[in-house]
């Protein structure tokens, strides 16, 4: 990042903080004292914002803090039909699927300081584009996004936090394979069973051995430390 670009960035941040309401290049020019063309051209300058923001997070939190990387898709209302990525996405506020845009927000959170530093936000393509052009589901795209940022995120911490949507076999296994430790909330309809513990005193019987035990009651203290989730992923209770 050159000194000229850094000075422009500081000016832009201060100007955005001063502008009431909508922000665009025309209003930036009016309040910032530069032409709209200057703001537009500088916005096109390629910068590794993820690296810049990770450095800011490290300076803000320090190496001794309890840090984790959090990801969360966020819905943005948008009308029209010409904007890239417009489709139908889940809105957590409305608790239903709505038409608009979606960004995947990535942030570094500190448990001890109770704060978050944003690392980046990547726009999600709509599911029809993914299915027709890339033959991917939305969950596959989320996995690919985390994989593309894995090296930079692991330099900060190896703990990845996400909500219940991501507590699925396909996602958890992939991020664990990248080197992360995944922390998430189980879905409300999750079906968990204890692994069967062989009884040495029981008589030997023919046929396949029992693999799973009784269903887990979340209101009670788990009897064993290993539970089965989905196919073969094991979580410590």
């Amino acid at each position: 990042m050159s000194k000229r670009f850094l000075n422009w960035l500081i000016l832009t941040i201060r100007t955005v903080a001063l502008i009431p309401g909508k922000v665009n290049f025309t209003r930036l020019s009016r309040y910032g004292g530069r032409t709209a063309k200057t703001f537009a051209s500088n916005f096109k300058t390629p910068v590794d914002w993820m690296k810049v923001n990770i450095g800011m997070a490290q300076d803000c939190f320090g190496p001794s803090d309890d840090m984790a990387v959090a990801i969360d898709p966020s819905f943005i209302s948008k009308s029209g039909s010409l904007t890239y990525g417009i489709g139908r996405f889940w809105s957590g506020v409305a608790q239903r699927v709505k038409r608009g845009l979606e960004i995947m927000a990535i942030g570094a959170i500190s448990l001890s300081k109770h704060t978050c530093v944003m690392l980046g936000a990547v726009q999600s393509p709509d599911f029809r584009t993914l299915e027709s052009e890339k033959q991917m589901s939305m969950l596959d795209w989320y996995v690919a996004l985390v994989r593309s940022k894995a090296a930079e995120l692991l330099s900060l911490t190896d703990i990845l936090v996400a909500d219940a949507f991501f507590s699925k076999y396909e996602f958890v296994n992939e991020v664990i394979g990248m080197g992360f430790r995944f922390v998430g909330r189980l879905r409300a309809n999750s079906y968990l069973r204890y692994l069967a513990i062989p009884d040495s005193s029981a008589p030997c019987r023919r046929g396949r051995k029992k693999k799973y035990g009784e269903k887990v009651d979340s209101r009670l203290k788990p009897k064993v430390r290993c539970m089965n989730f989905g196919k073969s992923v094991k979580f410590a209770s």
Side-chain angles (χ1 to χ4, degrees):
M1 186 181 299
S2 64
K3 185 176 181 180
R4 175 179 170 275
F5 182 82
L6 182 60
N7 292 335
W8 169 85
L9 179 62
I10 294 173
L11 172 66
T12 303
I13 294 174
R14 289 176 176 175
T15 307
V16 169
L18 291 174
I19 296 177
K22 190 175 181 181
V23 178
N24 52 35
F25 293 139
T26 303
R27 303 198 73 190
L28 283 172
S29 174
R30 183 182 305 165
Y31 286 86
R34 300 289 189 275
T35 64
K37 185 177 180 180
T38 300
F39 282 102
S41 61
N42 278 284
F43 265 93
K44 296 178 181 180
T45 304
V47 178
D48 190 352
W49 294 110
M50 180 71 71
K51 185 177 180 180
V52 173
N53 293 333
I54 286 178
M56 293 175 59
Q58 291 172 337
D59 292 340
C60 179
F61 296 152
S64 60
D65 290 306
D66 300 325
M67 282 192 295
V69 172
I71 59 173
D72 187 33
S74 179
F75 176 79
I76 301 174
S77 297
K78 185 72 171 72
S79 59
S81 59
L82 301 179
T83 304
Y84 170 79
I86 280 190
R88 300 185 64 82
F89 300 97
W90 174 259
S91 171
V93 176
Q95 288 295 301
R96 63 186 179 90
V97 175
K98 295 179 63 177
R99 188 172 184 272
L101 303 174
E102 181 188 83
I103 59 170
M104 170 63 86
I106 307 173
I109 57 177
S110 171
L111 183 62
S112 57
K113 293 191 175 181
H114 303 283
T115 187
C116 172
V117 173
M118 283 299 299
L119 302 179
V122 183
Q123 183 178 352
S124 304
D126 65 288
F127 72 96
R128 291 183 179 177
T129 302
L130 287 174
E131 290 180 351
S132 60
E133 296 181 5
K134 301 183 180 180
Q135 287 75 47
M136 299 171 65
S137 64
M138 287 301 299
L139 190 62
D140 295 333
W141 187 83
Y142 294 143
V143 171
L145 176 61
V146 175
R147 182 180 290 109
S148 66
K149 308 293 183 182
E152 297 167 298
L153 298 178
L154 286 170
S155 66
L156 189 64
T157 178
D158 64 344
I159 301 176
L160 182 68
V161 181
D163 60 16
F165 172 81
F166 296 94
S167 296
K168 298 180 180 180
Y169 170 83
E170 295 82 359
F171 185 85
V172 174
N173 265 18
E174 289 290 339
V175 296
I176 289 177
M178 299 174 200
F180 290 101
R181 290 182 290 166
F182 181 79
V183 179
R185 183 175 65 86
L186 293 178
R187 297 168 65 94
N189 59 350
S190 297
Y191 184 79
L192 302 176
R193 288 185 293 172
Y194 292 107
L195 295 176
I197 301 176
D199 187 358
S200 57
S201 61
C204 184
R205 296 182 178 179
R206 297 178 61 185
R208 185 187 179 191
K209 293 182 180 180
K210 191 176 181 181
K211 190 175 181 180
Y212 303 116
E214 60 186 11
K215 184 180 178 181
V216 174
D217 189 348
S218 59
R219 297 170 297 179
L220 303 176
K221 185 178 179 179
K223 298 180 181 180
V224 293
R225 289 191 58 80
C226 290
M227 294 182 292
N228 183 272
F229 176 82
K231 298 179 182 178
S232 61
V233 180
K234 298 178 182 179
F235 293 88
S237 59

